[in-house]
Amino acid sequence: FKEQIPALVCTILDLSHPGTTIILAHPDRRGAVTKFLTSFLQDFFIVDEALCEEDVLGSRPDLVANDYQDVTSNHHVALELSQCVREEKCPITVYVLRCKDDPAVLLHQFHEAYTFRYCSSQLPREISVRQGSGTWHGELLWRCAPVLCAYLELELKDCDTAPRVLELGAGLGLVSMVAALLGAEVVATDLDCVLPLLQRNCAMNSLHQALEIACLDWEKPADRFRSGFDLLLASDCTFFVEHHALLVSCIRVLLTKSSRMLLAHAERRAHVTAHLKEQLSGLSVREVDVEAAQTLARNNERWPSG
């Protein structure tokens, strides 16, 4: 996924030392992802070689056509893997890389240069967000967040009173910080393991006192979250099908007759979207046109820097 590339590069730099060779195999499924990856490689690495699939396999077609029994002892899984390789039909490039400089220096440059920046005329100042050093979804900035931020700009600009906002799965905190700068009273929530990143980003933007940060487990939302909020937010919390039931049950508990929710969902896979809609049945759901918000988000985004 495009969103995971910065964290992947960060992890490679963190694990490397001067002289480390990095071998990266990349399937070119989507041109935009490949272009994004290439921009990172050019910034931090020397590309010694970029080998196409034919260069690597040479006279070993058996490597593609085998039944993957070395990978798994399950015959059905092996057949499925082999079929996927034959059907995918996307070019694969193997990059042989070296760090351009001392990896520790590059890692510092990475954190300085590849901070996501959100800048808008509706906000008094720019917001900067740094991702975690891992590839776990809670440590990354996913593409729904800037769109939901832009939608909030359009939604909250004419509010006479400051709405009370509760964000579920706040992650790195971009949406909550934008809501706070737009005048909302915000409580940003996530699991305990994510809160240090959330706190760090709020402190980096001098917003740690402008909003409240709290732990909220979707399985057992505390009573204090069950009333007093005008607006609930969640951004890209619906990636995994297995999380849908838990998230929606939490939403049902937290929503009141006087509150509403903005749930930003990226339609990456049809069956995931269908499952989410099924889980949301029984709630009053309206899909909103986000074209204006998407355009605004593209104008406001600064990722990578500049």
Side-chain angles (χ1 to χ4, degrees):
F1 293 103
K2 180 180 177 182
E3 292 91 341
Q4 291 179 306
I5 290 174
L8 172 64
V9 171
C10 181
T11 302
I12 290 173
L13 292 173
D14 194 33
L15 295 174
S16 297
H17 58 79
T20 296
T21 298
I22 303 109
I23 300 174
L24 173 66
H26 170 67
D28 188 5
R29 296 183 181 94
R30 292 171 290 169
V33 176
T34 299
K35 183 178 179 181
F36 194 64
L37 171 66
T38 303
S39 71
F40 275 89
L41 298 186
Q42 290 172 344
D43 284 349
F44 294 103
F45 304 103
I46 296 169
V47 181
D48 286 334
E49 293 182 274
L51 306 170
C52 68
E53 188 175 352
E54 290 74 15
D55 294 333
V56 176
L57 294 178
S59 59
R60 294 294 306 277
D62 57 301
L63 292 177
V64 177
N66 68 23
D67 62 3
Y68 282 79
Q69 290 297 346
D70 289 340
V71 178
T72 175
S73 58
N74 185 311
H75 180 65
H76 294 293
V77 172
L79 288 175
E80 206 170 293
L81 284 168
S82 183
Q83 185 70 15
C84 286
V85 168
R86 285 197 292 269
E87 288 181 354
E88 190 161 21
K89 291 186 169 58
C90 65
I92 296 173
T93 303
V94 176
Y95 296 97
V96 182
L97 313 167
R98 287 179 293 122
C99 292
K100 278 187 171 181
D101 199 342
D102 185 316
V105 173
L106 292 173
L107 189 60
H108 177 74
Q109 291 175 359
F110 172 89
H111 285 307
E112 289 300 313
Y114 287 91
T115 295
F116 181 93
R117 292 175 171 85
Y118 189 89
C119 180
S120 166
S121 59
Q122 297 289 329
L123 303 179
R125 55 190 169 84
E126 181 180 87
I127 293 179
S128 299
V129 175
R130 288 185 183 176
Q131 301 192 107
S133 57
T135 56
W136 184 61
H137 62 279
E139 296 181 282
L140 306 175
L141 185 73
W142 297 90
R143 65 190 180 99
C144 276
V147 175
L148 184 54
C149 288
Y151 190 79
L152 280 175
E153 288 185 49
L154 302 174
E155 280 278 295
L156 300 181
K157 65 180 181 180
D158 297 324
C159 282
D160 296 326
T161 57
R164 285 272 294 159
V165 173
L166 176 69
E167 184 180 8
L168 307 178
L172 302 180
L174 177 65
V175 174
S176 284
M177 286 190 284
V178 167
L181 283 181
L182 289 169
E185 296 178 23
V186 181
V187 179
T189 69
D190 214 311
L191 295 173
D192 272 327
C193 57
V194 182
L195 295 189
L197 275 173
L198 180 54
Q199 290 163 339
R200 183 189 72 183
N201 278 317
C202 289
M204 186 171 72
N205 290 277
S206 301
L207 287 169
H208 50 294
Q209 294 181 332
L211 52 84
E212 181 184 348
I213 295 172
C215 177
L216 192 158
D217 186 338
W218 297 348
E219 193 170 3
K220 295 175 289 186
D223 289 342
R224 58 168 295 215
F225 299 118
R226 299 187 184 210
S227 62
F229 293 99
D230 306 300
L231 182 63
L232 307 183
L233 303 174
S235 167
D236 232 327
C237 293
T238 53
F239 184 88
F240 297 105
V241 168
E242 53 268 32
H243 292 172
H244 289 179
L246 198 58
L247 173 61
V248 174
S249 68
C250 180
I251 291 170
R252 292 180 190 276
V253 168
L254 298 178
L255 272 178
T256 65
K257 291 181 178 180
S258 60
S259 65
R260 62 195 181 101
M261 177 162 200
L262 294 177
L263 175 64
H265 167 72
E267 296 190 16
R268 297 181 179 93
R269 295 166 291 173
H271 76 279
V272 176
T273 300
H275 186 269
L276 176 63
K277 289 181 177 179
E278 182 182 320
Q279 291 293 316
L280 291 170
S281 61
L283 291 171
S284 175
V285 178
R286 178 172 63 92
E287 293 186 21
V288 299
D289 182 5
V290 294
E291 185 176 348
Q294 286 177 320
T295 301
L296 184 59
R298 283 193 292 270
N299 293 334
N300 293 348
E301 290 178 15
R302 301 290 184 270
W303 173 260
S305 62

